[in-house]
Amino acid sequence: MTETEAALKALMLLGLDGDAPAYRLLLSQLGGRLRVYFERRMRDAPGDVEDLVQETLMAVHTRRATYDRAQPFTPWAFALARYKLIDHWRRRKVRATTPIDDYIEVLAAYAPEPGSAMDLDRALETLPERQRKLVRDVKIEGLSLAQAGERAGVSEGAAKVALHRALKSLGERMRGRADG
């Protein structure tokens, strides 16, 4: 348990036991951490950060009776923050995207041991046809997601999701193979 987690949890427990100054300090310290959390995720709408911080602090306050004293505090609080962020995006019809290029590092970092039967071609064969084609088109042939999606007969967004899933699946298989 980190010092921050221990301090915030202690303040939450004191607040639950009726210590108003400790509870105010908890909300103040948590508010600062929430600002950082939302600022990282709301670069396109920095004006909404403070609203999300306040909504999350209200959720912490109104749902504090549901907090399990035996559990860490920050995961509970940041789960509420995550739900508030998702609700915010839904209200504004925003779809968050995650770069999929991070997963290629898993594939690139995998160096099979001599004699290992698992190579890239065999790994690709374990994927469904569409995912296999997308990996080959985007990561081997260098096509854009739009071009690969067009070849596969799907939208760019669907291609991105399928490629993300394929790379994640390959990474898990290769890590499992390297660990075993």
Side-chain angles (χ1 to χ4, degrees), residues 106-138:
V106 172
L107 296 173
Y110 174 74
E113 295 177 17
S116 172
M118 187 82 156
D119 62 15
L120 184 58
D121 288 330
R122 289 186 65 187
L124 287 173
E125 290 302 317
T126 65
L127 295 174
E129 178 67 26
R130 181 179 289 167
Q131 288 182 350
R132 183 171 47 246
K133 283 184 53 83
L134 286 169
V135 170
R136 286 188 188 283
D137 288 350
V138 174

